[in-house]
Amino acid sequence: MTRFTIWIQSALWVCLFAGVALGQDLVRTCLDGSDDGEGLELTVDNFGVMHLSHVALVSGNLSYTTIEADGSVSREGIANRIHRFPTSRTRSTSIALSGGQSFVCFQDPLRDQVRLAIRTEGVWATEVVEDNAQGDGCSVLVDSGIIHVFYEGD
């Protein structure tokens, strides 16, 4: 019984210690507004800057937000009203970084399109990846300068 008790105490101590160690650097950041987290996607660059793509539920506007290592936040619009209805949900967006550019892909049910937004030198440009596309989301990856967009097709 003593060995079992010591083993349990040791196991609990390790779990508690590991849990505390892993949670010490947790920083929580909330987006402005209660409906800004639709299709939320996050990536972090080599400088510790967080890059987020997300959609507002009611307006359906797709946004790009950066959170600097010092906590300062900036936000830019990418595309307006990508939802068919104000209560439509955006299940996912996808974001990738490469060569100083940001890439965001998203389903645009209002226009039945898969679209890709590319930010170069602070300016967003969007292009249609595919028309007449039905689906719930997409994923973007940049590998050796080649942009790959994956999505659900008909």
Side-chain angles (χ1 to χ4, degrees):
M1 182 72 164
T2 303
R3 281 188 192 172
F4 181 73
T5 304
I6 292 172
W7 183 83
I8 292 293
Q9 287 174 342
S10 297
L12 285 173
W13 184 81
V14 168
C15 289
L16 290 173
F17 179 74
V20 170
L22 294 175
Q24 287 178 346
D25 293 331
L26 176 66
V27 176
R28 296 179 184 192
T29 304
C30 293
L31 299 173
D32 291 338
S34 61
D35 71 342
D36 256 355
E38 292 288 304
L40 182 64
E41 183 71 18
L42 165 74
T43 190
V44 181
D45 67 21
N46 294 335
F47 301 104
V49 177
M50 293 181 276
H51 301 258
L52 298 91
S53 58
H54 54 97
V55 180
L57 177 61
V58 176
S59 69
N61 295 339
L62 175 66
S63 296
Y64 169 77
T65 299
T66 56
I67 304 172
E68 301 288 332
D70 67 2
S72 60
V73 177
S74 65
R75 180 179 175 153
E76 302 170 7
I78 298 175
N80 291 327
R81 197 156 186 272
I82 65 168
H83 288 158
R84 191 175 306 276
F85 303 107
T87 57
S88 299
R89 309 291 298 212
T90 299
R91 289 192 175 89
S92 70
T93 62
S94 181
I95 187 167
L97 307 173
S98 180
Q101 293 179 303
S102 300
F103 303 85
V104 175
C105 75
F106 58 99
Q107 288 278 154
D108 186 340
L110 183 64
R111 294 165 188 85
D112 291 328
Q113 297 175 332
V114 175
R115 295 172 62 192
L116 176 68
I118 303 172
R119 183 179 186 266
T120 305
E121 296 179 10
V123 178
W124 285 100
T126 60
E127 60 186 66
V128 175
V129 174
E130 182 157 336
D131 272 319
N132 301 315
Q134 306 288 323
D136 288 332
C138 58
S139 186
V140 63
L141 168 73
V142 182
D143 180 33
S144 302
I146 299 171
I147 305 166
H148 302 272
V149 178
F150 305 91
Y151 56 94
E152 179 183 354
D154 293 335

